[in-house]
Amino acid sequence: MKNRYRNVCMILAIFLFVTGCAQNSHCASEVVPDGEIEEEKEDYIVVGYSQVGSESDYRIANTKSVRDIFTQKNGYYLLFEDAQQKQENQLKTIRDFILQEVDYIVLDPVVETGWEAVLQEAKDAGIPVILSDRSVEVEDENLYTAWVGSNFEEEGVCAGKWLENYLAATGRSQEEIQIVTLQGTLGSTSQIGRTKGFQNVLEKNQSWKMLDRSSGDFTQAKGKEVMEEFLEKYPEIDVVVSENDNMTFGAIEAIKEAGKTCGPKGDIILISFDSVQAALIAMKEGDINVDIECNPLLAPKIAEIIDKLEAGEKVEKIHYVEESYYDTFMDLDSVIRKRSY
Ligand code: GZL
């Protein structure tokens, strides 16, 4: 698609002047990416990226993947906005991108609902939208061109099946198992899928009892708060299902401050999601039993989709990334050494 770089700068200048952002260097830096713009480069693909936030280690790795790929050297001009986990920020950002006539919008939607109007505006403006990581719930799936991410329901099923095997291997498959769940951001694709997937396995195990589920919003602080409430309320917790590693770090703090232990030698079986490096180290230290991987390196696939669209090729709608799980029965040293996140 013809580079709109010069138009973008002109519109940007008008936009910043009109909205008074020109005086505010912070605002100006928000819409004009860092680093020297190579004036002589004739052609950029202008990509507007609306990121959920910076709430977790997964998110940091996911953002790094975006910044590593969408560089001027690779022919892209990246406009990147962190929504601090607020949908209203993402809605405003997308409308700014439309005003700036970007070539593509990439959206990681904090929750699944509330996107029809703004996606219709992007469609009316002729700007393709690619969804990254989380997805949207819309009547008309033509409002977005493609989605790249994880099979979250499969991740939840994987966690449940791991627990079935572990309880059988430790002679506890007939025992009543009391479970609590730290859920991610309510209404996000990852929370919906992981909760549903684990529930599918729970329903097949009569001796399992889900005492409670509550959202820690994928953050360490909130995860600790919720775990403290669970420990207050439920004296006998056998399993904690924590829908991301940062809530897990908070849960570990709360469990230890309550004088209990977790992990393979602990009172509580701890199941986590994401498999970021810090969590695998905590697993090595004996605090986590199993971690279901959630691959944050989505930008290469997104760039491949954009390049195909640029070449006028058709693209598939759904693109799953490769991922696995890790537990203490594996050689964690070699896993940790090889990981880029
Ligand atoms: C999953 C992603 C989730 C991660 C969390 O793809 O949406 O959001 O599991 C992150 O760490 O906050």
Side-chain angles (χ1 to χ4, degrees):
M1 183 167 301
K2 196 77 193 89
N3 159 48
R4 294 194 181 100
Y5 170 61
R6 292 192 195 296
N7 301 351
V8 167
C9 278
M10 195 174 68
I11 291 169
L12 213 50
I14 298 165
F15 172 70
L16 292 176
F17 180 75
V18 164
T19 56
C21 275
Q23 288 81 21
N24 165 354
S25 60
H26 175 68
C27 178
S29 66
E30 275 177 345
V31 289
V32 179
D34 307 333
E36 275 309 301
I37 297 166
E38 296 158 40
E39 290 299 342
E40 71 284 355
K41 268 198 99 168
E42 278 311 299
D43 234 7
Y44 287 112
I45 300 170
V46 182
V47 175
Y49 197 106
S50 173
Q51 178 60 294
V52 168
S54 40
E55 72 286 356
S56 66
D57 291 31
Y58 165 95
R59 192 62 58 204
I60 304 304
N62 179 245
T63 293
K64 184 177 183 308
S65 168
V66 171
R67 290 191 183 282
D68 287 350
I69 294 290
F70 293 109
T71 61
Q72 288 160 29
K73 280 191 178 40
N74 290 343
Y76 302 99
Y77 185 93
L78 177 65
L79 299 173
F80 182 91
E81 284 297 319
D82 169 339
Q84 289 143 15
Q85 291 184 282
K86 292 187 177 65
Q87 181 173 33
E88 62 268 24
N89 291 345
Q90 292 195 291
L91 294 170
K92 179 187 172 309
T93 292
I94 294 170
R95 291 187 167 108
D96 289 350
F97 288 157
I98 293 170
L99 180 76
Q100 296 172 63
E101 293 188 345
V102 298
D103 294 319
Y104 296 89
I105 290 171
V106 182
L107 167 65
D108 191 334
V110 59
V111 290
E112 291 204 333
T113 53
W115 302 98
E116 274 84 353
V118 78
L119 292 180
Q120 189 58 55
E121 289 164 35
K123 189 178 171 87
D124 295 345
I127 302 174
V129 174
I130 296 166
L131 300 178
S132 171
D133 173 28
R134 302 180 189 178
S135 192
V136 296
E137 191 190 301
V138 288
E139 284 285 303
D140 175 8
E141 294 206 336
N142 292 318
L143 287 177
Y144 63 92
T145 303
W147 169 84
V148 181
S150 303
N151 187 332
F152 299 113
E153 188 168 330
E154 189 45 45
E155 290 177 0
V157 169
C158 179
K161 286 184 172 168
W162 182 91
L163 182 59
E164 276 181 334
N165 295 334
Y166 183 76
L167 293 172
T170 51
R172 298 177 66 184
S173 36
Q174 300 313 313
E175 191 183 310
E176 181 175 283
I177 300 294
Q178 317 249 39
I179 305 169
V180 292
T181 300
L182 296 173
Q183 291 180 294
T185 303
L186 292 181
S188 66
T189 312
S190 23
Q191 175 272 308
I192 293 167
R194 289 168 185 164
T195 298
K196 185 165 184 291
F198 189 84
Q199 178 63 23
N200 294 347
V201 181
L202 182 110
E203 285 166 0
K204 298 188 182 108
N205 289 274
Q206 301 311 317
S207 61
W208 295 9
K209 190 165 181 301
M210 184 59 74
L211 297 174
D212 209 339
R213 292 188 173 105
S214 185
S215 176
D217 210 17
F218 285 133
T219 68
Q220 181 166 344
K222 196 92 177 54
K224 181 177 181 182
E225 247 176 68
V226 172
M227 192 66 223
E228 284 165 347
E229 289 159 16
F230 284 157
L231 288 162
E232 274 288 301
K233 224 164 136 187
Y234 307 106
E236 292 303 318
I237 296 172
D238 299 304
V239 178
V240 173
V241 178
S242 171
E243 293 183 351
N244 92 319
D245 288 333
N246 293 79
M247 294 191 294
T248 299
F249 301 149
I252 292 169
E253 282 175 44
I255 289 166
K256 290 183 175 176
E257 286 170 13
K260 296 189 174 218
T261 55
C262 48
K265 298 194 176 76
D267 314 312
I268 296 175
I269 296 167
L270 189 42
I271 298 173
S272 191
F273 291 81
D274 282 350
S275 300
V276 297
Q277 207 157 55
L280 297 179
I281 291 167
M283 184 182 288
K284 242 188 95 207
E285 288 163 357
D287 290 333
I288 298 174
N289 291 77
V290 61
D291 208 326
I292 315 300
E293 185 178 36
C294 184
N295 184 347
L297 309 180
L298 307 182
K301 178 53 83 177
I302 297 168
E304 192 187 300
I305 291 167
I306 288 177
D307 292 348
K308 280 190 173 168
L309 292 170
E310 284 292 294
E313 293 172 30
K314 281 187 77 54
V315 296
E316 294 293 316
K317 194 86 171 172
I318 302 292
H319 302 263
Y320 287 117
V321 287
E322 294 286 311
E323 45 200 31
S324 179
Y325 75 88
Y326 303 96
D327 64 19
T328 51
F329 300 104
M330 298 174 179
D331 172 8
L332 291 172
D333 284 326
S334 73
V335 170
I336 292 167
R337 233 189 342 268
K338 278 186 295 202
R339 286 180 91 61
S340 64
Y341 60 90

